[in-house]
Amino acid sequence: TAALSGSLLYGARQGLDLNLRIAGDRFTLGARHIGAFDVALNVDRLPDAEMSIAASGRIEDLWLSPSLRFDALDGQVRNAPEGYNFAVHVQREHELRPTSLNILGAADFAADYPSGQIELDGTLLGEQVRSVQPVSWRLGDTPSIEASLAIFGGSIEARIAEQTRSPILTLAIQGVDLAPVLASAGISTQHVMVDGSGQFALFGADPAGQFDLTMEGPLPGLELPLAIDLTGRLRQGALRIEGAGDYGELRLAASATLPVKAEPEGIAHLDFTRPIQGQADLTGDLSDLRSLALAYGHDVGGKIDASATLSGSLGKPVMAAKAKLVDGAYEFGATSLRLVNLTLDAAY
């Protein structure tokens, strides 16, 4: 429920004085919801004076997803001669991954196209976040953005600039640790380092581009780190992603082709109705996973050859899998159960 209140005074002598306030206990939109909220708006204009517009508010218990939530969000917006200035503070108390992030910005609507700047400073999920320089943006026929962030122990640089009449997105990631993001989703790991770069032309009738990423980090319970190389190529209405990684004698290789819909007057996006294709293969010796199994009181071994396929569409995916195990071994220490020379042939 929400309560709306306010007042309005208007006249030739006193000018305009409008005050509105909306407050409530809870608002839900699908899986997202907010708790108590209180937002106020004031519009004031004295005779022969410029109009003053100011808004402020507080939202508590903000759930963006089941794994990403904040205790409170406070914000203020005020008009300025060139547009609007705003300030936002996001906060969450957490023993390991607290958030206290300040976002300051300005938006200019006086020119032909809106533009502005944004600055970030504080902590997000327990990690320092800072804009190395103000993030600048501009909308219009050829939108542009330039951002350089120090985030999660590394840096992310992104730029959208016009080249040959088509905006080009350039992205560079160096030494970024995704562990805080994974921890917020309930996946605990020491660190997952990401490095890479990419360049995309996502606007117009023929989107194209490519990216190359490397992810490396330890997995819970395993002795050695796992490194995965990812590449992506966008051309002729499809994004093809390939990845490969090794852990001891285990090797994982995967690929997927995802349909992309071009927007001649906008930005390309994934097509959830057209067919998709995907393939993943896992081969090698399961004994490389012994340290993980032993941590839970089990022991495993044997040669595995497993694969999975993905078909259907992004809106209605269909997955099939099969696995073959030879010379397998399994032991459950709590019961002294031990099986050896196992042969398994399964399909799903």
Side-chain angles (χ1 to χ4, degrees):
T1 59
L4 177 65
S5 60
S7 63
L8 172 64
L9 294 176
Y10 179 74
R13 293 184 177 182
Q14 67 266 37
L16 171 66
D17 186 8
L18 171 65
N19 292 279
L20 292 176
R21 180 186 178 191
I22 182 171
D25 299 326
R26 182 182 175 90
F27 180 79
T28 301
L29 181 62
R32 304 172 182 86
H33 74 260
I34 61 175
F37 58 93
D38 192 340
V39 180
L41 171 68
N42 174 256
V43 181
D44 182 56
R45 183 174 185 179
L46 298 175
D48 302 324
E50 296 292 333
M51 183 177 295
S52 172
I53 302 175
S56 62
R58 179 181 176 86
I59 300 174
E60 298 180 353
D61 198 21
L62 176 63
W63 287 67
L64 300 179
S65 71
S67 60
L68 182 60
R69 66 182 184 90
F70 300 104
D71 295 332
L73 182 149
D74 296 274
Q76 300 87 36
V77 180
R78 181 177 294 275
N79 69 325
E82 68 281 2
Y84 291 87
N85 298 325
F86 61 89
V88 176
H89 179 71
V90 182
Q91 183 176 353
R92 184 190 179 189
E93 299 293 338
H94 193 278
E95 183 178 355
L96 299 177
R97 302 294 182 185
T99 294
S100 181
L101 182 63
N102 293 305
I103 306 172
L104 305 176
D108 184 358
F109 297 98
D112 293 337
Y113 298 108
S115 62
Q117 292 185 335
I118 300 175
E119 295 185 62
L120 296 88
D121 189 25
T123 57
L124 177 63
L125 302 177
E127 299 292 330
Q128 291 291 324
V129 176
R130 178 177 56 87
S131 49
V132 179
Q133 60 187 25
V135 178
S136 60
W137 57 271
R138 178 181 178 274
L139 303 180
D141 294 336
T142 56
S144 64
I145 184 172
E146 185 169 352
S148 179
L149 302 178
I151 183 172
F152 297 147
S155 65
I156 298 178
E157 295 186 1
R159 173 179 295 184
I160 298 179
E162 182 181 4
Q163 296 182 12
T164 63
R165 298 184 179 181
S166 178
I168 302 295
L169 167 63
T170 304
L171 183 68
I173 303 173
Q174 183 175 1
V176 172
D177 186 1
L178 292 184
V181 179
L182 296 176
S184 69
I187 303 174
S188 177
T189 183
Q190 295 179 4
H191 63 265
V192 178
M193 307 305 298
V194 179
D195 294 271
S197 61
Q199 188 175 75
F200 288 91
L202 298 176
F203 297 83
D206 187 21
Q210 64 181 43
F211 70 83
D212 296 275
L213 294 176
T214 299
M215 296 187 293
E216 182 176 1
L219 294 177
L222 295 181
E223 298 176 347
L224 301 175
L226 175 66
I228 296 178
D229 295 321
L230 284 176
T231 62
R233 301 293 182 266
L234 172 60
R235 59 173 61 91
Q236 297 179 347
L239 173 63
R240 181 170 177 80
I241 302 174
E242 296 181 348
D246 295 298
Y247 185 83
E249 294 186 17
L250 280 173
R251 175 162 180 79
L252 173 66
S255 64
T257 301
L258 308 178
V260 174
K261 185 176 182 180
E263 294 288 351
E265 302 299 328
I267 187 170
H269 57 83
L270 293 174
D271 191 330
F272 279 71
T273 60
R274 289 165 49 198
I276 61 175
Q277 292 181 345
Q279 175 80 28
D281 298 292
L282 176 66
T283 58
D285 194 335
L286 287 180
S287 62
D288 286 317
L289 302 179
R290 289 191 66 194
S291 60
L292 175 61
L294 290 172
Y296 295 93
H298 305 266
D299 195 5
V300 295
K303 303 292 185 179
I304 190 170
D305 186 353
S307 64
T309 59
L310 182 66
S311 59
S313 66
L314 288 173
K316 295 181 179 181
V318 178
M319 188 174 70
K322 60 181 180 179
K324 184 176 182 179
L325 177 68
V326 296
D327 196 21
Y330 172 75
E331 182 177 351
F332 186 22
T335 62
S336 298
L337 172 66
R338 178 172 175 80
L339 303 174
V340 296
N341 298 322
L342 291 174
T343 298
L344 175 67
D345 202 339
Y348 169 78

